Amino acid sequence: MTFNLSEWALRNRSLVAYFMIVAVAAGVLAYNRLGRAEDPTFIIKTMVVQAAWPGATIEDTLNQVTERLERTLQETPKLDFLRSYTIAGRTTIFVNLQGDTTAREVHDIWYDVRKSVSDMRGTLPAGIVGPGFNDSFGDTFGIIYGFTADGFSHRELRDHVEDVRSKLLQIPDVSKIEILGAQDEKIFVEFSVKELATLGIDRSALIRALQSQNVVRPGGTIQTGDETLSLRVSGAFRSEQDILNVNFAVGDRMLRLSDIARVTRGFSDPPQPMFRVNGKSAIGLAIAMRDGGDILALGKNIQRTMDEIKAELPLGIEPLLVADQAVTVEVAISEFMTSLWQAIAIILVVSFISLGVRAGLIIALSIPLTLSIVFAVMDLSDIDMQRISLGALIIALALLVDDAMTITDATLTRLAMGEDKAQAASFAFRTYAFPMLAGTLVTIGGFVPVGFAASSAGEYTFSLFAVVSIALIVSWIVAVIFAPLLCALILKPPATKDGGGPSKILETYRSFLTRAVEAKGLTLAATLALFVASILALPLIPNQFFPSSDRPELLVDLRLPQNASIFATEDTASRLDAALKNDDDVARWSTYVGRGAIRFYLPLDVQLPNNFFAQAVIVAKDVPARERLQKKLNDLLTKEFPSVVGRISPLELGPPVGWPIQYRVSGPDIAQVREIALKLANIVSANPKTANVNFDWVEPAREIRIVINQDEARLLGLSSETLASVLNTVISGNTVTQVRDDIYLIDVITRATDEQRVSLTTLRNIQVPLPNGQTAPLSQFATFEYAQDQPVVWRRNRVPTLTVQANTAGGALPETVVRALASDIDKLRQELPRPYKIVDGGTVEESQKSQASVIAVVPLMLLIMLTVLMIELRSFQRLGLVLSVGPLGLIGVVAALLVSGRPLGFVAILGILALLGMITKNAVILIGQIESERAKGKTVTQAAIDASSTRFRPIMLTAVSTVLGMIPIAPTVFWGPMAFAIMGGLLVATILTLVFLPTAYVAWFSFREEAHSRSPSSIET
């Protein structure tokens, strides 16, 4: 070898030492600069398109608005699917892009969506409001404050909250602040329809008088020789009294508005979505952090500012912390750093015990040196410290000591043979550097499916690939440049010739391996039998997409019948608040009425604003309290809220899913879809492992249809348009102008008095003004019918789609339940007429998508691994032997998951793929060692046994270090399945690498040696 990096490092000790100091300093600086977050950022590839057509029926809205918009939106590049939600007069469409869409593509596609919808807007019916677009659907508001007031009006409270919002917006890293639960003020002008008609007052004239006086128009300017004077015309409304003082002419009379109408200031009627904190009405501030910000620093800055603000707030207004992602992240990072230090301590103990104090010291110095460089590269690559990257550091920690251990062990061996320190320290580079590099690249190749899986789950776990890859490459550089210098400075020749190795253990291993090689057939057959048994045992392991979070929060969804008013929803939420007030397991809670919780953490399944929906976010005192509380609330909803579709769930990890068990029934006819869905629901509910079986929409709602006798109406000088306008003004009210009050715009709404509009019984007797100045009751030319219609229609890709959804019961996993239901549902599928379909959704669908995205990259992984191995081994025979060891890790994976009871989910699958690289790395270095021994003239059997004995200590040390290093994260909810998979798989695969691989090598090559007496280098294919 012409160039040896280790020799170069030993010749340039001062320079290398300088680089080591710089690396440590850069790492310390980078560690303090790294952003902190709870979860890795991933793009919510969803845009919401909304449009309104006031007064339209649901059928007209579907056909004329939803359908037209969806036709255009279906042309969106990289579209995955459209999902639309239509109610009478309003449509909401979710545009979902494919998982492999990049961040830059998403931005460009949303621009195209806006442009294409703008181009087709002229084809929509007259009177359309919108369409509007929301492409900030994924904004996360990690810090939420709720403000309650005692002795202050809602408007006074809002004034103070708006002032607080203005101050918080000045804090660095704050990108957006949303106000929750604020009710817009309204000024209601209420009049009696009958009295107006009696006085001969035209309602439209009254409205014109209000609008014309309050108009904002320039009065012109006067230019003089010295100055410019602006002309301002008075008349603008500033208060209710200004409206009451409006005069208008009726014939030859002047009437004041206060003589014929009542003017009051109030709030939106019906109310807008409400926000409650600990059962009290509140206004909330939800704070979002800019991308790449440090949530810990943001939390401290907000806390400091809020302390100052609290001192200035009047007594009676109390800010309450509702959600604090900064504390969550601080605790999570603290726990992970504790796990990291524990893993480091475990590895160091193993190193000191097995290698001795001096050799252990080299490992002890290599770890912080490697981590320092990793932190610096993470900072340069904009990789924050969050759930995935922290877990990746612990996984990488067990891997990055492998190379340093190999170099140290080889140096000790050469020192024991009498070489000087420089020769011994540079020997490992000549012998192991490129096999180690090949093994490193193969291990990185095992993580390639993690890094390039084209799905939200892949995007979520990308930093696992990035951090592990950085750590492995850095560990190789440290091992071949810095470790030799440390070896030369610290190591001394061992006192004994064998280097002080564990002779008894090594002798036992060598004896066992000799017998295994002699009984080649039995050894290979037994290994194959274990592998087949592990494959057969795979179905026994439960499947899972992502586990629930270990945060103490619970989400409680309350869904009333879809025609329920927001008042009914508020009453239901208040009953839940009352049940939570005195519960010892509850730390605090917040309730959203008429909408779902704002996205306070990234993977939240955000719900649409709807009058019939409420959601509570309950923070339990700890995770055991959360479990107790969940059971109590399930019982409470069953007994006290029988008409409510309730769901109680911990927070999810990974991409949001919602109800874990979902089946989508789709087809052209809504009645037929409903009938199929009911049959499907019966099948799902028959399984004892399902609970709360429900539909996302199914029940029709009552409505009153006013059938106009057109001939009679025309004789009276009326039309359907006039009647609809009158009824809308009388019942709901019309916004006729706005009052400009400080920073607010307050709508002025004209409507009938309460007694004429809120009672269904008085609807028939509503007096309708006629053109001749008289009035007539509505019942004179109209009849009333009660009917039913769909209050809402969900569609997917323009086809009506009804989702049957359910929870799991008894601790069952969704994948297990869906597998149990599969045969009965397949029978129902076969009975369906075309084009009706039943499609699996929920956790199973997302899991399949994510696993498919990983599997799609496996060919690339195999290509990288095979190419690296072929370059290093240059033999199909040796390549085949190396590849035969990799799958054997499945034996340990299955055993570990079965014994621990952990599920085989997305994270565990990533661990298995990574495990393949780790196993292959050991096999490559061992094959290289066997070839080196054969080059000395040894027989195949002797070379295999000697090489395996030489590699026994570093391979076992690396395996034991990795397995023990995983212990700190093994109990965690998220990383546990991966940790157990790697621990079990690597432990078993290491033993098989040291027993099966040399046995297979001997079995394959021994007959060649007997037939041909020549050097190993000639045994090629």
Side-chain angles (χ1 to χ4, degrees), residues 125-200:
I128 288 290
V129 179
F133 307 90
N134 178 12
D135 58 0
S136 302
F137 196 58
D139 288 347
T140 302
F141 299 85
I143 299 176
I144 303 174
Y145 278 91
F147 294 79
T148 60
D150 185 7
F152 291 86
S153 68
H154 187 85
R155 167 61 187 271
E156 290 170 329
L157 175 61
R158 185 172 183 180
D159 287 341
H160 286 288
V161 172
E162 290 281 4
D163 184 52
V164 172
R165 179 177 181 269
S166 297
K167 293 176 181 177
L168 292 179
L169 279 170
Q170 299 174 21
I171 296 176
D173 283 353
V174 171
S175 66
K176 184 186 297 186
I177 300 181
E178 294 282 345
I179 292 183
L180 308 173
Q183 303 294 311
D184 291 335
E185 282 191 291
K186 308 289 181 182
I187 294 177
F188 298 102
V189 179
E190 297 178 334
F191 52 83
S192 166
V193 177
K194 186 174 182 178
E195 186 179 350
L196 288 184
T198 302
L199 294 173

Side-chain angles (χ1 to χ4, degrees), residues 271-327:
Q272 296 165 285
M274 293 172 273
F275 182 62
R276 303 163 67 90
V277 177
N278 297 336
K280 296 181 180 179
S281 179
I283 296 178
L285 287 181
I287 306 166
M289 181 180 71
R290 68 168 180 83
D291 290 341
D294 185 342
I295 188 66
L296 298 185
L298 177 63
K300 290 175 183 176
N301 290 335
I302 288 177
Q303 182 62 54
R304 185 167 52 251
T305 305
M306 284 301 300
D307 289 341
E308 298 171 358
I309 290 172
K310 285 179 186 178
E312 300 173 358
L313 287 174
L315 191 64
I317 295 180
E318 184 179 4
L320 301 170
L321 189 61
V322 174
D324 190 354
Q325 196 176 45
V327 171

